[in-house]
Amino acid sequence: MAGRIYATPEQLAAYTDVSAPDGADRLLARASEDVDSALLTAVYPVDDAGLPLDAELRDALRDAVCAQVEFWLAGGDDGTGAAGQWDSVSIGPVSLSGRSGGTAGASGVELAPRAGRALRRAGLEPGYVFPW
């Protein structure tokens, strides 16, 4: 079963004001997985497909996913997280230098700053588990 994907290539193009790149569907799927991971403790009503019923929450998830992809593209990442892992790399005879600092939140997911802000503005992050 495919996971939820919160944005389309057309929405990504509108968000970034440039054409969606090759592989946009894959990037949007990976970014949607990251957003879902960041929201493991968020509570909100959803439809049968697991999408928020509230239009503002749907818009926030779309914006967060688009911001995540925009961040990856600006940094030369392909959504795998491999780009930017080292602050210096040489190929022969192999030399790796200090790891670059990450921006992982409490969920352990490295979200783009604008993605995190979109989720916080919508009240989705940080999530809370209520003791009912």
Side-chain angles (χ1 to χ4, degrees):
M1 176 177 156
R4 292 176 295 276
I5 300 175
Y6 298 113
T8 65
E10 295 78 20
Q11 291 169 324
L12 176 62
Y15 184 88
T16 61
D17 203 28
V18 296
S19 297
D22 290 339
D25 289 320
R26 178 182 48 80
L27 292 170
L28 291 166
R30 287 181 177 174
S32 294
E33 289 173 1
D34 284 357
V35 167
D36 274 347
S37 293
L39 298 179
L40 287 178
T41 59
V43 177
Y44 50 90
V46 297
D47 63 16
D48 291 338
L51 299 171
L53 292 175
D54 183 271
E56 287 183 32
L57 293 182
R58 281 193 311 272
D59 290 348
L61 293 175
R62 177 204 61 220
D63 289 350
V65 165
C66 289
Q68 185 74 1
V69 172
E70 179 183 48
F71 183 76
W72 289 338
L73 294 172
D77 199 340
D78 60 1
T80 63
Q85 293 297 309
W86 303 96
D87 58 10
S88 178
V89 176
S90 299
I91 296 299
V94 181
S95 171
L96 301 172
S97 184
R99 291 181 72 74
S100 299
T103 58
S107 65
V109 176
E110 292 188 27
L111 284 182
R114 291 182 68 199
R117 286 193 297 270
L119 298 176
R120 283 189 294 282
R121 278 193 309 274
L124 291 169
E125 189 186 63
Y128 300 98
V129 175
F130 296 97
W132 288 322

